[in-house]
């Protein structure tokens, strides 16, 4: 009997030993799940690409002119990718961004628009491009939010329609910009850095503030994470979805203006495959395709990685097909890594809940 009385403390200790908290995940894996860890990984990838460029292309890659070329090329697709980040974070997708860029560039460079710009101010061309991009985004948002059309289908329809309308307006001809003030401004530089790069930086900074420091950004995360829960929390999900696609269209309008300034043309062929490049940059940057998590800083690094990759391939006279293969492999690796980390997050969250 005395032995039975003496046993409960031992059993209690044993029981306590069996319910000890689960071991914390390894520090390296835990670091990769943080925004800082993912950004460090992107910086390392970019540095490695630059080292490859230095080794294979030598002094040609390391010149200041080549660095400015990379930044200038990254600026246009970078602005499109900022808009795509908001859409994907909100649980959507937009396949029409390239076509919207083409439509905005064509509409803003018609003879009538350019004549009005010469009579008044070139800002009229900018306003036209922004309005056209925003209007196309509004159509996407209304179809998806209120028409209940799947984002993939709605934006695919816009891709075909916007590209076709751009071809009709331009008669499939390249429209040359003759407004000197427009060309001088967007083709110029500020303290040695192209104006296009400054615009990209401003859009990225504004996007970061909106996504991370405003109610609009918090609602975007909520809608992308769980739209029904967001609705029950009082968020007007449909209205917010429309706003996200209008924002993406606005970014396409800005990109169209930048592309017009870089090429001094408006064309129905502008923006080819921009949707794929933007989605790739967003995914590489760490934004979840399923929504609920997004990062502007990661998107900027993703754009720089792909642009630098293209530059290295071009300097080494490698084919566009090889570039496409490399992009595809990078995208697959990034998605697999996202899934692995997301699975680890769910397991760790479940263990923590049981604890």
């Amino acid at each position: 009997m005395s032995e039975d009385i003496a046993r409960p403390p031992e059993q209690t200790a044993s029981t306590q030993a069996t319910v000890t908290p689960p071991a914390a995940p390894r520090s390296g894996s835990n670091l990769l799940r943080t925004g800082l860890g993912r950004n460090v990984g992107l910086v390392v990838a970019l540095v490695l690409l630059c080292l490859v460029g230095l080794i294979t292309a030598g002094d040609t890659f390391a010149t200041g002119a080549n660095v400015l070329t990379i930044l200038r090329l990254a600026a246009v697709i970078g602005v499109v990718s900022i808009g795509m980040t908001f859409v994907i974070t909100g649980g959507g997708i937009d396949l029409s961004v390239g076509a919207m860029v083409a439509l905005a560039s064509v509409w803003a460079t018609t003879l009538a628009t350019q004549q009005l710009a010469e009579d008044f101010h070139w800002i009229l061309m900018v306003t036209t491009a922004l309005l056209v991009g925003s209007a196309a985004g509004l159509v996407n948002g209304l179809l998806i939010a209120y028409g209940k059309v799947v984002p993939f289908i709605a934006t695919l329809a816009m891709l075909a329609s916007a590209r076709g309308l751009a071809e009709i307006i331009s008669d499939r001809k390249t429209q040359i910009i003759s407004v000197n003030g427009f060309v001088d401004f967007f083709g110029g530089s500020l303290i040695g850095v192209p104006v296009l790069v400054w615009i990209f930086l401003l859009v990225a900074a504004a996007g970061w503030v909106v996504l991370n420091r405003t109610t609009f950004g918090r609602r975007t995360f909520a809608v992308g994470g769980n739209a029904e829960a967001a609705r029950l929390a009082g968020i007007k999900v449909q209205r917010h979805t429309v706003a996200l696609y209008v924002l993406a269209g606005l970014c396409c309008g800005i990109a169209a203006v930048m592309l017009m300034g870089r090429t001094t043309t408006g064309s129905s062929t502008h923006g080819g495959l921009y949707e794929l490049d933007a989605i790739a940059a967003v995914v590489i940057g760490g934004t979840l395709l399923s929504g609920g998590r997004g990062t502007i800083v990661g998107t900027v690094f993703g754009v720089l990685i792909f642009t630098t990759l293209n530059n290295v391939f071009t300097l080494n006279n490698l084919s566009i097909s090889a570039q496409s293969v490399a992009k595809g492999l990078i995208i697959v690796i990034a998605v697999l890594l996202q899934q692995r980390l997301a699975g680890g997050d769910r397991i760790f969250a479940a263990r923590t809940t049981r604890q």
Side-chain angles (χ1 to χ4, degrees):
M1 187 70 178
S2 60
E3 292 180 358
D4 293 338
I5 296 174
R7 278 178 185 169
E10 296 176 359
Q11 292 175 350
T12 302
S14 176
T15 303
Q16 290 176 347
T18 60
V19 295
T20 52
R26 289 172 296 188
S27 59
S29 176
N30 194 33
L31 177 62
L32 286 175
R33 292 189 180 96
T34 66
L36 177 61
R38 286 189 292 269
N39 290 336
V40 169
L42 292 171
V43 171
V44 171
L46 184 59
V47 170
L48 290 176
L49 269 178
C50 291
L51 289 176
V52 172
L54 286 172
I55 294 171
T56 59
D59 295 337
T60 305
F61 177 83
T63 61
N66 187 58
V67 172
L68 290 179
T69 298
I70 293 174
L71 293 176
R72 193 181 293 110
L73 292 174
V76 178
I77 188 61
V79 170
V80 175
S81 300
I82 297 298
M84 186 70 79
T85 301
F86 278 89
V87 170
I88 294 180
T89 302
I93 195 75
D94 194 342
L95 303 180
S96 64
V97 290
M100 289 194 291
V101 168
L103 179 60
S105 74
V106 166
W107 208 314
T109 55
T110 59
L111 291 176
T113 306
Q114 292 198 58
Q115 186 60 53
L116 287 173
E118 288 181 344
D119 293 340
F120 296 97
H121 196 277
W122 56 261
I123 198 68
L124 183 63
M125 296 173 63
V126 176
T127 303
T128 300
L130 299 185
L131 289 176
V132 170
S134 299
L138 177 62
V139 173
N140 279 337
L142 291 174
L143 287 174
I144 293 166
Y146 294 98
K148 304 300 181 182
V149 181
V150 177
F152 182 91
I153 300 300
T155 57
L156 184 63
M158 177 59 71
L159 182 155
S161 302
R163 186 75 69 180
L165 183 56
E167 292 176 351
I168 292 172
I169 294 174
S170 64
D171 196 22
R172 296 191 176 184
K173 296 178 182 177
T174 299
Q175 299 174 167
I176 306 299
I177 297 177
S178 58
V179 182
N180 293 328
F182 180 92
V183 175
D184 292 340
F185 180 82
F186 289 99
S189 300
L190 180 63
I191 61 173
V193 179
V195 170
L196 301 184
V197 177
W198 286 112
I199 295 175
F200 175 37
L201 292 176
L202 288 174
V203 172
W208 184 89
V209 171
V210 171
L211 188 61
N212 296 285
R213 294 292 184 268
T214 67
T215 302
F216 184 89
R218 290 191 291 273
R219 290 175 178 173
T220 300
F221 288 118
V223 171
N226 190 322
E228 181 61 21
R231 184 187 67 80
L232 294 175
I235 298 175
K236 299 184 183 300
V237 175
Q238 291 176 312
R239 184 184 301 177
H240 192 82
T241 299
V242 173
L244 288 175
Y245 281 94
V246 171
L247 179 59
L250 177 63
C251 288
C252 289
I254 297 172
V257 172
M258 298 167 68
L259 193 56
M260 288 156 52
R262 198 182 78 196
T263 63
T264 67
T265 64
S267 174
S268 60
T269 61
H270 281 339
L273 297 180
Y274 271 21
E275 54 278 353
L276 300 183
D277 289 340
I279 292 172
V282 171
V283 171
I284 290 298
T287 298
L288 284 180
L289 275 174
S290 56
R293 188 184 79 194
T295 163
I296 298 296
V297 175
T299 295
V300 171
F301 279 120
V303 170
L304 291 176
I305 286 173
F306 274 117
T307 308
T308 304
L309 178 68
N310 291 341
N311 183 261
V312 171
F313 273 63
T314 301
L315 292 179
N316 287 281
N317 297 319
L318 297 176
S319 66
I320 296 178
S321 300
Q323 296 181 31
S324 300
V325 171
K327 283 184 179 181
L329 290 175
I330 292 174
I331 294 170
V332 170
I333 293 172
V335 172
L336 290 175
L337 184 60
Q338 279 190 1
Q339 291 176 346
R340 182 177 179 83
L341 293 180
D345 288 340
R346 287 192 294 269
I347 293 173
F348 182 66
R351 289 177 177 174
T352 304
T353 303
R354 287 197 300 269
Q355 179 185 353

